[in-house]
PDB file of all heavy atoms in Angstrom:
ATOM      1  N   ARG A 167     -16.194   9.163 -24.005  1.00  0.00           N
ATOM      2  CA  ARG A 167     -14.919   9.816 -24.356  1.00  0.00           C
ATOM      3  C   ARG A 167     -13.745   9.115 -23.756  1.00  0.00           C
ATOM      4  O   ARG A 167     -12.725   8.871 -24.375  1.00  0.00           O
ATOM      5  CB  ARG A 167     -14.983  11.293 -23.912  1.00  0.00           C
ATOM      6  CG  ARG A 167     -13.761  12.094 -24.320  1.00  0.00           C
ATOM      7  CD  ARG A 167     -13.853  13.518 -23.779  1.00  0.00           C
ATOM      8  NE  ARG A 167     -15.057  14.181 -24.333  1.00  0.00           N
ATOM      9  CZ  ARG A 167     -15.542  15.344 -23.911  1.00  0.00           C
ATOM     10  NH1 ARG A 167     -14.907  15.981 -22.964  1.00  0.00           N
ATOM     11  NH2 ARG A 167     -16.620  15.881 -24.485  1.00  0.00           N
ATOM     12  N   ALA A 168     -13.904   8.748 -22.409  1.00  0.00           N
ATOM     13  CA  ALA A 168     -12.797   8.059 -21.711  1.00  0.00           C
ATOM     14  C   ALA A 168     -12.556   6.684 -22.339  1.00  0.00           C
ATOM     15  O   ALA A 168     -11.392   6.270 -22.514  1.00  0.00           O
ATOM     16  CB  ALA A 168     -13.132   7.904 -20.260  1.00  0.00           C
ATOM     17  N   ARG A 169     -13.637   6.007 -22.690  1.00  0.00           N
ATOM     18  CA  ARG A 169     -13.522   4.711 -23.333  1.00  0.00           C
ATOM     19  C   ARG A 169     -12.804   4.827 -24.674  1.00  0.00           C
ATOM     20  O   ARG A 169     -12.006   3.971 -25.056  1.00  0.00           O
ATOM     21  CB  ARG A 169     -14.866   4.065 -23.452  1.00  0.00           C
ATOM     22  CG  ARG A 169     -15.473   3.602 -22.134  1.00  0.00           C
ATOM     23  CD  ARG A 169     -16.857   3.030 -22.343  1.00  0.00           C
ATOM     24  NE  ARG A 169     -17.408   2.565 -21.095  1.00  0.00           N
ATOM     25  CZ  ARG A 169     -18.665   2.124 -20.935  1.00  0.00           C
ATOM     26  NH1 ARG A 169     -19.440   2.124 -22.018  1.00  0.00           N
ATOM     27  NH2 ARG A 169     -19.116   1.757 -19.781  1.00  0.00           N
ATOM     28  N   ALA A 170     -13.191   5.864 -25.380  1.00  0.00           N
ATOM     29  CA  ALA A 170     -12.555   6.077 -26.719  1.00  0.00           C
ATOM     30  C   ALA A 170     -11.080   6.314 -26.558  1.00  0.00           C
ATOM     31  O   ALA A 170     -10.266   5.787 -27.362  1.00  0.00           O
ATOM     32  CB  ALA A 170     -13.248   7.243 -27.437  1.00  0.00           C
ATOM     33  N   VAL A 171     -10.699   7.110 -25.533  1.00  0.00           N
ATOM     34  CA  VAL A 171      -9.297   7.380 -25.331  1.00  0.00           C
ATOM     35  C   VAL A 171      -8.585   6.106 -24.942  1.00  0.00           C
ATOM     36  O   VAL A 171      -7.440   5.814 -25.420  1.00  0.00           O
ATOM     37  CB  VAL A 171      -9.115   8.440 -24.208  1.00  0.00           C
ATOM     38  CG1 VAL A 171      -7.654   8.573 -23.800  1.00  0.00           C
ATOM     39  CG2 VAL A 171      -9.648   9.770 -24.641  1.00  0.00           C
ATOM     40  N   GLU A 172      -9.187   5.320 -24.061  1.00  0.00           N
ATOM     41  CA  GLU A 172      -8.569   4.050 -23.646  1.00  0.00           C
ATOM     42  C   GLU A 172      -8.451   3.089 -24.840  1.00  0.00           C
ATOM     43  O   GLU A 172      -7.445   2.401 -24.988  1.00  0.00           O
ATOM     44  CB  GLU A 172      -9.460   3.384 -22.535  1.00  0.00           C
ATOM     45  CG  GLU A 172      -8.885   2.143 -21.921  1.00  0.00           C
ATOM     46  CD  GLU A 172      -7.622   2.446 -21.089  1.00  0.00           C
ATOM     47  OE1 GLU A 172      -7.449   3.589 -20.603  1.00  0.00           O
ATOM     48  OE2 GLU A 172      -6.816   1.527 -20.895  1.00  0.00           O
ATOM     49  N   ALA A 173      -9.532   3.023 -25.634  1.00  0.00           N
ATOM     50  CA  ALA A 173      -9.468   2.141 -26.790  1.00  0.00           C
ATOM     51  C   ALA A 173      -8.382   2.622 -27.775  1.00  0.00           C
ATOM     52  O   ALA A 173      -7.714   1.766 -28.376  1.00  0.00           O
ATOM     53  CB  ALA A 173     -10.847   2.165 -27.473  1.00  0.00           C
ATOM     54  N   GLN A 174      -8.205   3.919 -27.909  1.00  0.00           N
ATOM     55  CA  GLN A 174      -7.171   4.435 -28.812  1.00  0.00           C
ATOM     56  C   GLN A 174      -5.780   4.027 -28.343  1.00  0.00           C
ATOM     57  O   GLN A 174      -4.930   3.597 -29.153  1.00  0.00           O
ATOM     58  CB  GLN A 174      -7.265   5.943 -28.900  1.00  0.00           C
ATOM     59  CG  GLN A 174      -6.277   6.552 -29.890  1.00  0.00           C
ATOM     60  CD  GLN A 174      -6.362   8.069 -29.955  1.00  0.00           C
ATOM     61  OE1 GLN A 174      -7.115   8.685 -29.183  1.00  0.00           O
ATOM     62  NE2 GLN A 174      -5.603   8.671 -30.840  1.00  0.00           N
ATOM     63  N   LYS A 175      -5.574   4.103 -26.993  1.00  0.00           N
ATOM     64  CA  LYS A 175      -4.266   3.693 -26.467  1.00  0.00           C
ATOM     65  C   LYS A 175      -4.046   2.189 -26.701  1.00  0.00           C
ATOM     66  O   LYS A 175      -2.933   1.810 -27.086  1.00  0.00           O
ATOM     67  CB  LYS A 175      -4.201   3.970 -24.944  1.00  0.00           C
ATOM     68  CG  LYS A 175      -4.181   5.461 -24.633  1.00  0.00           C
ATOM     69  CD  LYS A 175      -4.088   5.670 -23.115  1.00  0.00           C
ATOM     70  CE  LYS A 175      -4.037   7.158 -22.780  1.00  0.00           C
ATOM     71  NZ  LYS A 175      -3.971   7.361 -21.306  1.00  0.00           N
ATOM     72  N   LEU A 176      -5.084   1.413 -26.494  1.00  0.00           N
ATOM     73  CA  LEU A 176      -4.927  -0.045 -26.688  1.00  0.00           C
ATOM     74  C   LEU A 176      -4.658  -0.354 -28.170  1.00  0.00           C
ATOM     75  O   LEU A 176      -3.857  -1.206 -28.469  1.00  0.00           O
ATOM     76  CB  LEU A 176      -6.175  -0.795 -26.208  1.00  0.00           C
ATOM     77  CG  LEU A 176      -6.395  -0.940 -24.719  1.00  0.00           C
ATOM     78  CD1 LEU A 176      -7.734  -1.572 -24.402  1.00  0.00           C
ATOM     79  CD2 LEU A 176      -5.251  -1.740 -24.111  1.00  0.00           C
ATOM     80  N   MET A 177      -5.335   0.388 -29.050  1.00  0.00           N
ATOM     81  CA  MET A 177      -5.113   0.141 -30.445  1.00  0.00           C
ATOM     82  C   MET A 177      -3.706   0.552 -30.861  1.00  0.00           C
ATOM     83  O   MET A 177      -3.073  -0.092 -31.744  1.00  0.00           O
ATOM     84  CB  MET A 177      -6.147   0.950 -31.299  1.00  0.00           C
ATOM     85  CG  MET A 177      -7.575   0.487 -31.136  1.00  0.00           C
ATOM     86  SD  MET A 177      -7.784  -1.278 -31.500  1.00  0.00           S
ATOM     87  CE  MET A 177      -7.375  -1.289 -33.226  1.00  0.00           C
ATOM     88  N   ASN A 178      -3.167   1.583 -30.261  1.00  0.00           N
ATOM     89  CA  ASN A 178      -1.775   1.993 -30.553  1.00  0.00           C
ATOM     90  C   ASN A 178      -0.809   0.855 -30.115  1.00  0.00           C
ATOM     91  O   ASN A 178       0.113   0.528 -30.854  1.00  0.00           O
ATOM     92  CB  ASN A 178      -1.434   3.271 -29.856  1.00  0.00           C
ATOM     93  CG  ASN A 178      -2.182   4.479 -30.470  1.00  0.00           C
ATOM     94  OD1 ASN A 178      -2.618   4.435 -31.651  1.00  0.00           O
ATOM     95  ND2 ASN A 178      -2.389   5.522 -29.677  1.00  0.00           N
ATOM     96  N   HIS A 179      -1.039   0.332 -28.881  1.00  0.00           N
ATOM     97  CA  HIS A 179      -0.180  -0.753 -28.410  1.00  0.00           C
ATOM     98  C   HIS A 179      -0.324  -1.979 -29.270  1.00  0.00           C
ATOM     99  O   HIS A 179       0.662  -2.662 -29.613  1.00  0.00           O
ATOM    100  CB  HIS A 179      -0.500  -1.103 -26.956  1.00  0.00           C
ATOM    101  CG  HIS A 179      -0.160  -0.001 -25.990  1.00  0.00           C
ATOM    102  ND1 HIS A 179       1.130   0.397 -25.749  1.00  0.00           N
ATOM    103  CD2 HIS A 179      -0.923   0.735 -25.150  1.00  0.00           C
ATOM    104  CE1 HIS A 179       1.154   1.386 -24.819  1.00  0.00           C
ATOM    105  NE2 HIS A 179      -0.102   1.588 -24.482  1.00  0.00           N
ATOM    106  N   PHE A 180      -1.539  -2.281 -29.663  1.00  0.00           N
ATOM    107  CA  PHE A 180      -1.821  -3.442 -30.524  1.00  0.00           C
ATOM    108  C   PHE A 180      -1.176  -3.273 -31.875  1.00  0.00           C
ATOM    109  O   PHE A 180      -0.629  -4.221 -32.489  1.00  0.00           O
ATOM    110  CB  PHE A 180      -3.279  -3.685 -30.605  1.00  0.00           C
ATOM    111  CG  PHE A 180      -3.663  -4.913 -31.408  1.00  0.00           C
ATOM    112  CD1 PHE A 180      -3.491  -6.186 -30.843  1.00  0.00           C
ATOM    113  CD2 PHE A 180      -4.116  -4.814 -32.721  1.00  0.00           C
ATOM    114  CE1 PHE A 180      -3.803  -7.325 -31.575  1.00  0.00           C
ATOM    115  CE2 PHE A 180      -4.386  -5.954 -33.437  1.00  0.00           C
ATOM    116  CZ  PHE A 180      -4.267  -7.218 -32.883  1.00  0.00           C
ATOM    117  N   ALA A 181      -1.248  -2.049 -32.421  1.00  0.00           N
ATOM    118  CA  ALA A 181      -0.677  -1.767 -33.723  1.00  0.00           C
ATOM    119  C   ALA A 181       0.838  -1.977 -33.728  1.00  0.00           C
ATOM    120  O   ALA A 181       1.448  -2.485 -34.667  1.00  0.00           O
ATOM    121  CB  ALA A 181      -1.023  -0.346 -34.180  1.00  0.00           C
ATOM    122  N   GLU A 182       1.444  -1.554 -32.601  1.00  0.00           N
ATOM    123  CA  GLU A 182       2.903  -1.739 -32.509  1.00  0.00           C
ATOM    124  C   GLU A 182       3.259  -3.207 -32.423  1.00  0.00           C
ATOM    125  O   GLU A 182       4.259  -3.660 -33.007  1.00  0.00           O
ATOM    126  CB  GLU A 182       3.445  -0.974 -31.291  1.00  0.00           C
ATOM    127  CG  GLU A 182       4.938  -0.972 -31.237  1.00  0.00           C
ATOM    128  CD  GLU A 182       5.512   0.025 -30.218  1.00  0.00           C
ATOM    129  OE1 GLU A 182       4.713   0.852 -29.762  1.00  0.00           O
ATOM    130  OE2 GLU A 182       6.704  -0.029 -29.933  1.00  0.00           O
ATOM    131  N   LEU A 183       2.421  -4.016 -31.688  1.00  0.00           N
ATOM    132  CA  LEU A 183       2.678  -5.450 -31.593  1.00  0.00           C
ATOM    133  C   LEU A 183       2.389  -6.136 -32.938  1.00  0.00           C
ATOM    134  O   LEU A 183       2.978  -7.190 -33.242  1.00  0.00           O
ATOM    135  CB  LEU A 183       1.836  -6.052 -30.482  1.00  0.00           C
ATOM    136  CG  LEU A 183       2.197  -5.670 -29.041  1.00  0.00           C
ATOM    137  CD1 LEU A 183       1.132  -6.138 -28.079  1.00  0.00           C
ATOM    138  CD2 LEU A 183       3.579  -6.270 -28.685  1.00  0.00           C
ATOM    139  N   LEU A 184       1.471  -5.512 -33.706  1.00  0.00           N
ATOM    140  CA  LEU A 184       1.097  -6.131 -34.996  1.00  0.00           C
ATOM    141  C   LEU A 184       2.126  -5.871 -36.069  1.00  0.00           C
ATOM    142  O   LEU A 184       2.221  -6.639 -37.008  1.00  0.00           O
ATOM    143  CB  LEU A 184      -0.300  -5.574 -35.386  1.00  0.00           C
ATOM    144  CG  LEU A 184      -0.979  -6.233 -36.551  1.00  0.00           C
ATOM    145  CD1 LEU A 184      -1.288  -7.659 -36.235  1.00  0.00           C
ATOM    146  CD2 LEU A 184      -2.268  -5.484 -36.870  1.00  0.00           C
ATOM    147  N   SER A 185       2.930  -4.798 -35.903  1.00  0.00           N
ATOM    148  CA  SER A 185       3.929  -4.441 -36.946  1.00  0.00           C
ATOM    149  C   SER A 185       5.037  -5.477 -36.923  1.00  0.00           C
ATOM    150  O   SER A 185       5.374  -6.072 -35.914  1.00  0.00           O
ATOM    151  CB  SER A 185       4.503  -3.057 -36.633  1.00  0.00           C
ATOM    152  OG  SER A 185       5.228  -3.090 -35.434  1.00  0.00           O
ATOM    153  N   PRO A 186       5.695  -5.660 -38.078  1.00  0.00           N
ATOM    154  CA  PRO A 186       6.805  -6.654 -38.160  1.00  0.00           C
ATOM    155  C   PRO A 186       8.076  -6.150 -37.451  1.00  0.00           C
ATOM    156  O   PRO A 186       8.970  -6.989 -37.207  1.00  0.00           O
ATOM    157  CB  PRO A 186       7.033  -6.816 -39.671  1.00  0.00           C
ATOM    158  CG  PRO A 186       6.536  -5.550 -40.251  1.00  0.00           C
ATOM    159  CD  PRO A 186       5.427  -5.055 -39.425  1.00  0.00           C
ATOM    160  N   GLU A 187       8.154  -4.879 -37.116  1.00  0.00           N
ATOM    161  CA  GLU A 187       9.329  -4.373 -36.463  1.00  0.00           C
ATOM    162  C   GLU A 187       9.376  -4.843 -34.965  1.00  0.00           C
ATOM    163  O   GLU A 187       8.330  -5.192 -34.413  1.00  0.00           O
ATOM    164  CB  GLU A 187       9.312  -2.824 -36.519  1.00  0.00           C
ATOM    165  CG  GLU A 187       9.271  -2.249 -37.866  1.00  0.00           C
ATOM    166  CD  GLU A 187      10.541  -2.565 -38.662  1.00  0.00           C
ATOM    167  OE1 GLU A 187      11.602  -2.722 -38.016  1.00  0.00           O
ATOM    168  OE2 GLU A 187      10.441  -2.740 -39.892  1.00  0.00           O
ATOM    169  N   PRO A 188      10.570  -4.828 -34.392  1.00  0.00           N
ATOM    170  CA  PRO A 188      10.686  -5.192 -32.984  1.00  0.00           C
ATOM    171  C   PRO A 188       9.841  -4.261 -32.082  1.00  0.00           C
ATOM    172  O   PRO A 188       9.656  -3.061 -32.420  1.00  0.00           O
ATOM    173  CB  PRO A 188      12.141  -5.061 -32.669  1.00  0.00           C
ATOM    174  CG  PRO A 188      12.816  -5.172 -34.008  1.00  0.00           C
ATOM    175  CD  PRO A 188      11.899  -4.601 -35.000  1.00  0.00           C
ATOM    176  N   VAL A 189       9.364  -4.780 -30.978  1.00  0.00           N
ATOM    177  CA  VAL A 189       8.499  -3.987 -30.055  1.00  0.00           C
ATOM    178  C   VAL A 189       9.327  -2.977 -29.340  1.00  0.00           C
ATOM    179  O   VAL A 189      10.291  -3.338 -28.629  1.00  0.00           O
ATOM    180  CB  VAL A 189       7.786  -4.886 -29.105  1.00  0.00           C
ATOM    181  CG1 VAL A 189       6.918  -4.113 -28.190  1.00  0.00           C
ATOM    182  CG2 VAL A 189       6.963  -5.957 -29.862  1.00  0.00           C
ATOM    183  N   ASN A 190       8.949  -1.715 -29.473  1.00  0.00           N
ATOM    184  CA  ASN A 190       9.662  -0.644 -28.809  1.00  0.00           C
ATOM    185  C   ASN A 190       8.719   0.149 -27.868  1.00  0.00           C
ATOM    186  O   ASN A 190       8.980   1.318 -27.570  1.00  0.00           O
ATOM    187  CB  ASN A 190      10.241   0.317 -29.881  1.00  0.00           C
ATOM    188  CG  ASN A 190      11.343  -0.312 -30.683  1.00  0.00           C
ATOM    189  OD1 ASN A 190      12.122  -1.125 -30.160  1.00  0.00           O
ATOM    190  ND2 ASN A 190      11.356  -0.066 -32.014  1.00  0.00           N
ATOM    191  N   ASP A 191       7.595  -0.507 -27.478  1.00  0.00           N
ATOM    192  CA  ASP A 191       6.621   0.211 -26.631  1.00  0.00           C
ATOM    193  C   ASP A 191       7.293   0.510 -25.294  1.00  0.00           C
ATOM    194  O   ASP A 191       7.721  -0.399 -24.530  1.00  0.00           O
ATOM    195  CB  ASP A 191       5.408  -0.717 -26.435  1.00  0.00           C
ATOM    196  CG  ASP A 191       4.223   0.035 -25.867  1.00  0.00           C
ATOM    197  OD1 ASP A 191       4.462   0.856 -24.906  1.00  0.00           O
ATOM    198  OD2 ASP A 191       3.098  -0.132 -26.321  1.00  0.00           O
ATOM    199  N   GLY A 192       7.341   1.756 -24.936  1.00  0.00           N
ATOM    200  CA  GLY A 192       8.024   2.185 -23.714  1.00  0.00           C
ATOM    201  C   GLY A 192       7.357   1.674 -22.460  1.00  0.00           C
ATOM    202  O   GLY A 192       8.032   1.291 -21.514  1.00  0.00           O
ATOM    203  N   ILE A 193       6.030   1.711 -22.429  1.00  0.00           N
ATOM    204  CA  ILE A 193       5.336   1.278 -21.203  1.00  0.00           C
ATOM    205  C   ILE A 193       5.530  -0.208 -20.982  1.00  0.00           C
ATOM    206  O   ILE A 193       5.804  -0.660 -19.864  1.00  0.00           O
ATOM    207  CB  ILE A 193       3.836   1.642 -21.281  1.00  0.00           C
ATOM    208  CG1 ILE A 193       3.670   3.148 -21.368  1.00  0.00           C
ATOM    209  CG2 ILE A 193       3.079   1.058 -20.123  1.00  0.00           C
ATOM    210  CD1 ILE A 193       2.238   3.617 -21.501  1.00  0.00           C
ATOM    211  N   LEU A 194       5.381  -0.998 -22.013  1.00  0.00           N
ATOM    212  CA  LEU A 194       5.457  -2.481 -21.892  1.00  0.00           C
ATOM    213  C   LEU A 194       6.869  -2.914 -21.519  1.00  0.00           C
ATOM    214  O   LEU A 194       7.053  -4.021 -20.980  1.00  0.00           O
ATOM    215  CB  LEU A 194       4.951  -3.125 -23.128  1.00  0.00           C
ATOM    216  CG  LEU A 194       3.497  -2.965 -23.505  1.00  0.00           C
ATOM    217  CD1 LEU A 194       3.180  -3.652 -24.809  1.00  0.00           C
ATOM    218  CD2 LEU A 194       2.601  -3.473 -22.399  1.00  0.00           C
ATOM    219  N   ASN A 195       7.852  -2.104 -21.858  1.00  0.00           N
ATOM    220  CA  ASN A 195       9.264  -2.486 -21.621  1.00  0.00           C
ATOM    221  C   ASN A 195       9.887  -1.713 -20.442  1.00  0.00           C
ATOM    222  O   ASN A 195      11.077  -1.944 -20.154  1.00  0.00           O
ATOM    223  CB  ASN A 195      10.107  -2.261 -22.845  1.00  0.00           C
ATOM    224  CG  ASN A 195       9.697  -3.158 -24.014  1.00  0.00           C
ATOM    225  OD1 ASN A 195       9.319  -4.306 -23.762  1.00  0.00           O
ATOM    226  ND2 ASN A 195       9.736  -2.642 -25.222  1.00  0.00           N
ATOM    227  N   ASP A 196       9.111  -0.917 -19.832  1.00  0.00           N
ATOM    228  CA  ASP A 196       9.674  -0.064 -18.711  1.00  0.00           C
ATOM    229  C   ASP A 196       9.352  -0.739 -17.361  1.00  0.00           C
ATOM    230  O   ASP A 196       8.210  -0.885 -16.931  1.00  0.00           O
ATOM    231  CB  ASP A 196       8.997   1.330 -18.710  1.00  0.00           C
ATOM    232  CG  ASP A 196       9.678   2.270 -17.751  1.00  0.00           C
ATOM    233  OD1 ASP A 196      10.563   1.801 -16.989  1.00  0.00           O
ATOM    234  OD2 ASP A 196       9.312   3.458 -17.733  1.00  0.00           O
ATOM    235  N   PRO A 197      10.419  -1.239 -16.638  1.00  0.00           N
ATOM    236  CA  PRO A 197      10.199  -1.948 -15.343  1.00  0.00           C
ATOM    237  C   PRO A 197       9.521  -1.056 -14.328  1.00  0.00           C
ATOM    238  O   PRO A 197       8.816  -1.527 -13.423  1.00  0.00           O
ATOM    239  CB  PRO A 197      11.599  -2.349 -14.930  1.00  0.00           C
ATOM    240  CG  PRO A 197      12.399  -2.350 -16.170  1.00  0.00           C
ATOM    241  CD  PRO A 197      11.827  -1.277 -17.030  1.00  0.00           C
ATOM    242  N   SER A 198       9.737   0.265 -14.414  1.00  0.00           N
ATOM    243  CA  SER A 198       9.162   1.162 -13.413  1.00  0.00           C
ATOM    244  C   SER A 198       7.633   1.346 -13.603  1.00  0.00           C
ATOM    245  O   SER A 198       6.945   1.834 -12.738  1.00  0.00           O
ATOM    246  CB  SER A 198       9.860   2.497 -13.469  1.00  0.00           C
ATOM    247  OG  SER A 198       9.639   3.153 -14.734  1.00  0.00           O
ATOM    248  N   LYS A 199       7.143   0.957 -14.763  1.00  0.00           N
ATOM    249  CA  LYS A 199       5.731   1.089 -15.035  1.00  0.00           C
ATOM    250  C   LYS A 199       5.079  -0.320 -15.204  1.00  0.00           C
ATOM    251  O   LYS A 199       4.284  -0.568 -16.057  1.00  0.00           O
ATOM    252  CB  LYS A 199       5.480   1.891 -16.309  1.00  0.00           C
ATOM    253  CG  LYS A 199       6.005   3.281 -16.225  1.00  0.00           C
ATOM    254  CD  LYS A 199       5.709   4.078 -17.502  1.00  0.00           C
ATOM    255  CE  LYS A 199       6.224   5.530 -17.410  1.00  0.00           C
ATOM    256  NZ  LYS A 199       5.952   6.261 -18.644  1.00  0.00           N
ATOM    257  N   LEU A 200       5.510  -1.213 -14.251  1.00  0.00           N
ATOM    258  CA  LEU A 200       5.050  -2.574 -14.311  1.00  0.00           C
ATOM    259  C   LEU A 200       3.544  -2.725 -14.140  1.00  0.00           C
ATOM    260  O   LEU A 200       2.883  -3.438 -14.871  1.00  0.00           O
ATOM    261  CB  LEU A 200       5.777  -3.434 -13.213  1.00  0.00           C
ATOM    262  CG  LEU A 200       5.371  -4.889 -13.122  1.00  0.00           C
ATOM    263  CD1 LEU A 200       5.694  -5.641 -14.421  1.00  0.00           C
ATOM    264  CD2 LEU A 200       6.101  -5.565 -11.946  1.00  0.00           C
ATOM    265  N   PHE A 201       2.979  -1.984 -13.207  1.00  0.00           N
ATOM    266  CA  PHE A 201       1.543  -2.102 -12.891  1.00  0.00           C
ATOM    267  C   PHE A 201       0.713  -1.610 -14.074  1.00  0.00           C
ATOM    268  O   PHE A 201      -0.328  -2.207 -14.440  1.00  0.00           O
ATOM    269  CB  PHE A 201       1.160  -1.328 -11.656  1.00  0.00           C
ATOM    270  CG  PHE A 201       1.856  -1.883 -10.391  1.00  0.00           C
ATOM    271  CD1 PHE A 201       1.875  -1.104  -9.235  1.00  0.00           C
ATOM    272  CD2 PHE A 201       2.404  -3.150 -10.386  1.00  0.00           C
ATOM    273  CE1 PHE A 201       2.521  -1.606  -8.109  1.00  0.00           C
ATOM    274  CE2 PHE A 201       3.014  -3.643  -9.257  1.00  0.00           C
ATOM    275  CZ  PHE A 201       3.073  -2.859  -8.106  1.00  0.00           C
ATOM    276  N   GLU A 202       1.165  -0.487 -14.721  1.00  0.00           N
ATOM    277  CA  GLU A 202       0.462   0.060 -15.888  1.00  0.00           C
ATOM    278  C   GLU A 202       0.562  -0.893 -17.062  1.00  0.00           C
ATOM    279  O   GLU A 202      -0.401  -1.126 -17.777  1.00  0.00           O
ATOM    280  CB  GLU A 202       1.008   1.413 -16.247  1.00  0.00           C
ATOM    281  CG  GLU A 202       0.253   2.138 -17.342  1.00  0.00           C
ATOM    282  CD  GLU A 202       0.801   3.514 -17.656  1.00  0.00           C
ATOM    283  OE1 GLU A 202       1.724   3.953 -16.904  1.00  0.00           O
ATOM    284  OE2 GLU A 202       0.347   4.143 -18.632  1.00  0.00           O
TER     285      GLU A 202
END
């Protein structure tokens, strides 16, 4: 279940990077969440 949740999150991030629109992922662009 945890792996499925983790995989779902990764797929969401990957889907956003895969889209032609500019990247608006909050975690990847948030300096306060650098480690995550």
Side-chain angles (χ1 to χ4, degrees):
R167 183 182 301 171
R169 289 177 179 173
V171 172
E172 186 69 24
Q174 183 182 5
K175 291 181 180 180
L176 285 175
M177 294 304 295
N178 292 335
H179 293 296
F180 183 75
E182 187 167 349
L183 291 170
L184 191 60
S185 65
E187 301 296 329
V189 179
N190 295 320
D191 194 316
I193 296 178
L194 295 178
N195 295 324
D196 189 354
S198 63
K199 297 181 179 181
L200 178 62
F201 296 163
E202 186 178 354

